[in-house]
Structure formats: C-alpha cells, structure tokens
Amino acid sequence: MAKLISRRDFLRGTAAGAVTLTAGAVVGTLTGCNSNVPEATTAAAETSQSAAATEAVTKSLYTPGTYTAVEKGLQSDVTVTMTFDESSITDVVIDAAGETEGLGTATPEPLSKAILDAQSAEVDAVSGATVTSNAVKKAAANCIAQAKGELQAASGAAASGSSQDEWLGEEPDIKDSDIYSEVEADVVVVGLGVAGVAAARAAAEKDASVIGIDGAASPCCRSGEYAVINSPKLNACWPERALTREEVDEIIDSHVNESSYRVKRSIAKKWADNIGEAFDWWTDADDHLFIADETRQAIEDENADDFMVPIFRPLPSYKDENGKEHVYNWKEERFPCYPTSVEFLPNQSATFNANWEKALATGKVEAYFGHFGRKLIMENGKCVGVYALNDDPQSSDKGKYLKITAKKGVILSTGDYGSNDAAMKHFAPDVMKTHANNRLFTSFDVNGVPTNQGDGLRMGAWAGAKIMGYNAPMIHHMGGGADLSGVGVMGNAGFLNLDMDGRRFMCEDLPGQQLENQIEQTRLMQSWQFFDANWPEQVTHMPAAHGGACYFEDYASIDEAPKNNQTYRNWKSPYQLEAAVQDGRCLKADTLEELVEKVYPDDTAAQKQALLSIKRYNELAAAGYDEDFHKVPSRLMPVDTAPFYADQFTTAIMLVCIGGLESDEDCHTFTEVTDEMGRQVCGEIIKGLYVAGNMQGGRFGMEYPIGLKGVSHSMAMYYGKVAGENAAAEI
C-alpha cells in the first residue's frame, strides 16, 4: 500500500517564508461596483482594547520615512511618493505627467488631497480618469504597505524568506489573548464577492445561519458579463437562444478543450446543465432589472441605472458580392463564440446588491467587514471554523482576531491571487515575465489594498488542501488604441496585423486570448493593425468575438446613438474613428507610404518590409486564399483604398489569475497527499470545507476561454449557490 504524507503534516516540518504583495488596479472595461451596505448590517464586537494598547498600536502604525511606488497608468508609469510619521500620512506627491490631458495631468491634485484627507489609498477615482486614478491608488497602497513594514498585514504576509514556498508564509500562531470576540453560525462564508454573496443567500434560504466576512467595507463586484445557457426567463425573451442537448454538450467539450483538458468536465457540465435556472434565481432578486430585446436597444431613463442586454443580438451579418446574406454561425467557426452571454449595465451592482439584500432579509445573515480570513480551524480533519483578523482602521479592535465557529461548514470564496507578486511568481512565473506591471483589479479592502491576494489559497494549504496546477491567467486582448472605457479603435477585429519589423506574423482571425498569445511572441511584444476606408463594410464580416468590431453604425456623433445605451464595444461609427485619430490613438494617412512612415519612424527597413507585407496580403486577398496563415477567405480583405489607418497593439492587461483548491462539482475540497512515487495527489474530501468562485479549482486551466463571455462570473455565482446549499446540508 502506498505511503501517503499529508500536506499539513509536511508543512509542519518546514519553515516557510512570506510574500511580497503589490496591488492591482482598474481598467475601464471592468468598472468597480462595491455595494453600499447599511451600517446596521455590519456586526461589530463590543469588546475594546485598553487605552494603553490602543495608543501603542497607533504609535507603531508606520515606520517614519518617505516611500515610493510605480504602477502602470493608461499610457505611462505613474509614480507616487508618500511621507509618513509614526501615525499618519503627511505628504503625497503624484507624478502622472506621461498621461494624456484629462487622464493624468488633471489627476494628481485632487487625488493627493483625497489620500491625505482619508489617510488611505481607498478614495474615489477622478471622473474621466479611471485607469490613471486607480494606478495612483495601487501605488499609494504599495507605499502604505512599505510604511507599515508588514508588506500587507491585511493580506496575511510575513517577513520575506527564501523558501520555495515563500508565497505561502507561515501559518499564524493565534493565542486566546489575540481573540477579541467569539461568534458561531451554521455556515461561514469567507469573501463576499459574487460567489460569496450567492453562497450566503443560498445557505440562508436553506434555513442555515450564516456569518460572512470580507476585507472590504462592503460586498464587492466588478463588470457585468455572464454566460447563461437555457434560462427559462431569457429563452422566453430571446427564443432562438434555446440550445439542444447536443449543442450544450458541444459547448462543454469546447470549454474543456480550450483549457487543454486541465479542467474537470463534471464541473463544466453541472454548470451548463443548471446555470439557466440558477441565473433566474439570481436575477429574480432584482425586481427593477430591465431586460432589453437587443444589445443596442434604447433604454428609458427609469431603467438606465439597472438593465441587461443580450450580447450579440441580433447576430452580426453581411452580404456577399452576390447579395446573399451571411449570418454569424458559431458552428462554422474555428473559434466559436456562443450566443449565450448577457451584460448587466451600467454594471452588475444593482442585481448584486439586490441579492445581498435578499440574503440579509432572511434574518439569518450577519456580516463582518474589514475582517480577513487568516486561519482555518481544523478538528480531526474537519473544518469547523475560521480566525478572522480585524484590520479595520476605524475599529478599536484592529489587529485582533474574531474566532468564528461553523457548525456545518466553511466556504472559501476569497477570489484569486493576481495582485500577490509572490503567488504569481510561484503559480504563473511566465505571466510575471510579461505582465508583472500590467495587472489590474478593481476591488479594494478597507486599507486600500486590492482584495485578490490569495488569502484562501494560504488558509487551504495550511489546512492540508491540494491546490490545482496549470493556473489560467485572464489576458484577453481588446484591441489597440483604447479609449477611456478601455475599448480599442477596432477592437481585436481581424484586420491585417504587422509586427515591429513590418512583417505579418499570424492569422488575424483569432479571439482575444489567442491574439494576445501571438503578440507576446513578437519582438518587443508589439504590433500594428492596418485597415482602410472600406472598414465600415469590412467589420460586418468579422466574427462575434469578445472585443472585436463586427457591427457598423453610421453615426456622426454619440448623440445619434441609442438613448442611455450609447456605446458598445462591438459597434463602430465614423465619429469614434475620427476621435481616435484626433486623440492620437489611431494614425491616418492618404497613402500607404505615408502611413508606414508614421508607424515605423526612423526605421526604413521596417517601412520597406511593411509595404511588401501589405502588397503580399493584398495579393492573397485577390486570390481568395491565404496560403501564408490560412485566414478565413471572407475575412481576407485588402488594404488598398485611401484613407489608410493603423493602431498599435501592445500586450493586454491581466485581470485575474484563476487557480484555486482542487474541487469537484459539489464544491468539496481534497487533502493533498504524497504517494510512494513522490507525487502530490488528491486524498480524501475535507469535511466542512467548500470553495466557490476563483477559489474553486477545476473550472479553468492554462488560459481563460472566452467563447463563453462572462463564464467566470457565471460559474462563480452558480457554484456559490451550490456551495451554500451543500454547506447548509452538511451533517
């Protein structure tokens, strides 16, 4: 019989170092939407520290000095320099001179004052400068971390070490004297994002008492896309979206294939078979939600703050030279984009908040904010609770622990680890080589630090849980020349693309994730997208891909667009292109010779090669067959009609890096054991410990598949519901 050694026993015999953490920021396409939680719903313990202890904590809050951090803004690095005395921030200097007028140069003064006034990096962004503002907030959070000398106590870090598991750090040794209060519930939910809120509501509706904790000041959500299959409510609105059993199975197979079979089909299948009814459960909480018939439908004022659109309805279409209409058909695509997705606009906060209120209305949910899960409580191999660090700067119990006992189960829904440098280097070292300073996140804790720090991974590992391998970074390219909302000039539409030497290097008919992978293999990891005056007709040939232009609207200004629904990434109008030209986000010229001189200034070799590459591409288009890169003929269109345009592609932004604890379709976790061959394998189910959201392994592997736009949110919500129901039923 194989000799098995548990991870927990192994870790007891090792000295683990700690993590160095940097914060994520925000990109325009992922607008943050923290919910506003009434103070009455936040349970705060009455026990307080002595006056002497409080004074000691205050005096030792910071190490006096000046600290600097640099983060990537929209177009340049943003530098924040902050000065501290023992108990406060005394000065904030922001250098965002490289940012565009309105994005950077107008940002420093109000943000400097806001950070000083708040004594925190968690301040409101400057209107019209979201990306730059959040780069400032990210850098400010980093400075605060340095000044604390902890490199994020709020994220569970300790002093830096040399262990190969330095991301993990050492499990806290929590004494009775460290605990300020003890509470108990049937189910404890650690992390109140989409998965955590769904879990809390589901468990409460199964008559379980619930305690939820989160490091932020309220539940947090972002963006608003969801992949939905066979929702009874939505199929009644959009009947053509009803899918057969065979079509659903094909979608499941594609999802597994895109993840290189590093995921569990059982997890994908259970989601696909049940997400429809679960999504109706989720949206039923929001009785104000307006469901549009089409993506670009005009929205009345009373619905403008809370509506949902079907993505790609109607499907894009074009007419060929014989007048025959061709409608996008995912079954004919190499990289299908399924007609399954919806988007909450202006974001999902209204529906998200409605679900949180629905949970609270049960009378069974209690929440502690500014609290961070730090250590699972294990008894005889079962998870029976969690220690939560109170790191709320407004609390007299800051620095103390809340001991929460779970009579039935604990659900870890703490998100990914994308803002944790050490964890990224451990689980995704190749990503760190190209995206160390190109990672963005939108949810911040009470100390202004991004919440995706891998807290749940550490707690799970210390408790002996197995962590999945082959993690999946979400880095899908949305095109070059992004505007304030993060949408590219023509998005990732499949126009001709040349590298920095003027050479064609790929089949351009690719989704954003695959496009990103190709660009990363070029010299300097940059390229240029070329198109001409025929773009209005040509975009209609493009696939219904996330982030790509595939519809044309002949609008002279935004005022002609649908009311309260004026922009959408896949629809392009002449005024948008001209704005990009005026802003310098897109180059325009009357001849190709003039254009390549602008694209490759002072590089005559690249200019010459680019003209040869364009000539070759035009010849292939005329022949109707791409013998160089095998592009679909209907999207192989010449660049030969003035005026000519080009916009630059660089590497895309990493939003999250998805891994998690090994799980199954019931959200169980498993011990990690080492067999006689030295392999780390799954052992037994850990009783009482469940996972959901980006803490759940087995959903995505290698990279994020985007044929099912919004599948991450969708699986988080669905498996949050599953985890809540199963934890409530634990015996």
Side-chain angles (χ1 to χ4, degrees), residues 290-301:
F290 175 76
I291 301 175
D293 290 328
E294 297 184 352
T295 314
R296 296 287 280 148
Q297 179 177 332
I299 306 298
E300 296 302 321
D301 291 344

Side-chain angles (χ1 to χ4, degrees), residues 613-635:
S613 297
I614 295 171
K615 179 182 178 182
R616 169 64 174 170
Y617 184 76
N618 290 345
E619 290 171 349
L620 295 172
Y625 184 76
D626 183 8
E627 62 182 63
D628 292 348
F629 291 95
H630 198 210
K631 190 175 187 176
V632 174
S634 63
R635 295 165 193 158

